[in-house]
Amino acid sequence: MDISVFTVITDNQRNLPFYMETAGWQQHQPHIHRLSGYPCYHWLQTVSGGGELVLDGQIYSITPGIGFLLLPHDPHEYYAVREPWEVYWLTFDGFHIDTIMASLGFTDSCVLTLSDNKPVEAILQDIIEEAKTNDGLNNLELSALVYKFLICLLRYSSIEDNRSLQQYYIHLAPVLDYIKGHYMDEISLEHLASCMDITPQYLCRLFKEAFGVTPFTYLAKYRIKKAKELLLLNKSLTIREVSHSVGYNDVSYFCSLFRKYEGMAPGVFRKAHQ
């Protein structure tokens, strides 16, 4: 039996960062043609079978492991091409949601490939079950679940043949593990690249695509993270000792870097958290 669940959208609910409008599962997705689009954000993903999406004059194949995210009011059409076309869907909106979605990188309607569709399906199932409860306060839980869904989508989805964030993390695991175990040592870009048997240039490209920063910037941020932990967990350590413990023999450089990322000196940071 197909499932469709809706929520009562009150004024208070519209003031939430996210709110669910409707969600569901359908074994036989019907033909949909919206000349003026849909008024909310709309996600649909294939479980089995297949369909096609017509968007901006292009036709996209929506097969298992693929879904599409539509922005409000974007004209579109979708229909089954391999029956039964089984799908999950979610529509949602929120207060200042356009700004939030843009910050997550969702600025245009798009077709996304999921490196692992199971986590996304699991959250959609949780949303459906929560919406079924008709609890007067479940709009708060649903708001949190919609945000969790978007973060999951951000983690496991990619456009066309690009890697998802999860795939980048798995691919870069040898380098990330090396940084985790040797951040206190002197580390060169060549040494990091040798962990994956790739060139330094290609490693920089992978880090830029995965994290938006260079390997050395990632290393610096990781060292500052460990420095903050030492400053708070071992208050007997001097600033110089903390600096040396995270791989910086030049204390002045360490303090300068700490200010750059934290907006305050290490000593001020420690006092602020006492």
Side-chain angles (χ1 to χ4, degrees):
M1 180 182 295
D2 294 346
I3 303 171
S4 295
V5 289
F6 297 83
T7 57
V8 177
I9 303 174
T10 65
D11 288 345
N12 285 344
Q13 191 169 357
R14 292 185 190 279
N15 288 329
L16 291 172
F18 304 99
Y19 63 82
M20 180 205 116
E21 189 223 19
T22 181
W25 168 86
Q26 199 150 16
Q27 187 174 17
H28 296 273
Q29 172 60 50
H31 186 154
I32 299 293
H33 189 192
R34 299 186 178 106
L35 294 175
S36 300
Y38 195 78
C40 300
Y41 284 85
H42 180 196
W43 168 258
L44 182 145
Q45 74 183 68
T46 297
V47 179
S48 63
E52 288 182 341
L53 168 71
V54 182
L55 180 68
D56 291 333
Q58 297 190 51
I59 300 176
Y60 301 90
S61 179
I62 312 299
T63 54
I66 295 179
F68 55 79
L69 178 66
L70 301 175
L71 272 59
H73 308 297
D74 276 1
H76 60 268
E77 179 182 10
Y78 53 92
Y79 46 82
V81 294
R82 190 165 71 251
E83 294 279 11
W85 187 21
E86 181 186 1
V87 303
Y88 278 106
W89 82 86
L90 171 69
T91 64
F92 57 95
D93 213 321
F95 189 69
H96 290 321
I97 192 172
D98 294 344
T99 301
I100 300 172
M101 293 292 283
S103 71
L104 295 175
F106 299 124
T107 56
D108 299 291
S109 295
C110 58
V111 174
L112 298 171
T113 299
L114 299 172
S115 60
D116 188 351
N117 61 315
K118 295 302 181 185
V120 182
E121 287 183 11
I123 295 177
L124 290 172
Q125 291 166 4
D126 289 343
I127 289 173
I128 291 170
E129 291 305 310
E130 181 63 36
K132 285 180 180 179
T133 63
N134 291 320
D135 183 342
L137 291 177
N138 72 346
N139 58 331
L140 301 177
E141 183 64 28
L142 286 168
S143 180
L145 284 170
V146 171
Y147 180 64
K148 184 178 179 182
F149 161 78
L150 289 170
I151 294 301
C152 191
L153 202 61
L154 188 65
R155 179 173 185 173
Y156 290 102
S157 72
S158 61
I159 297 176
E160 297 177 346
D161 295 327
N162 295 328
R163 292 184 178 96
S164 68
L165 285 178
Q166 180 70 8
Q167 289 172 315
Y168 274 117
Y169 296 154
I170 293 172
H171 190 51
L172 287 167
V175 175
L176 300 179
D177 288 343
Y178 186 85
I179 289 174
K180 183 178 180 180
H182 298 272
Y183 65 88
M184 70 293 294
D185 301 327
E186 185 175 344
I187 299 176
S188 69
L189 183 60
E190 289 73 18
H191 196 108
L192 290 177
S194 70
C195 294
M196 295 175 60
D197 195 25
I198 58 177
T199 66
Q201 293 77 13
Y202 187 51
L203 180 65
C204 289
R205 175 183 165 187
L206 290 177
F207 263 78
K208 276 287 189 180
E209 291 173 351
F211 303 110
V213 298
T214 65
F216 274 159
T217 299
Y218 181 91
L219 173 62
K221 287 178 176 288
Y222 190 86
R223 283 171 165 169
I224 295 303
K225 161 187 151 21
K226 300 304 292 187
K228 290 191 293 183
E229 293 172 1
L230 288 173
L231 286 166
L232 300 185
L233 296 177
N234 195 338
K235 294 183 173 60
S236 64
L237 290 177
T238 65
I239 303 301
R240 180 178 298 276
E241 288 170 331
V242 171
S243 176
H244 290 174
S245 296
V246 298
Y248 293 115
N249 292 324
D250 186 335
V251 182
S252 296
Y253 178 71
F254 165 71
C255 291
S256 174
L257 204 61
F258 197 99
R259 287 192 191 92
K260 176 181 177 181
Y261 292 126
E262 299 302 319
M264 63 184 76
V268 176
F269 175 87
R270 172 179 271 170
K271 289 180 181 178
H273 289 80
Q274 286 180 346

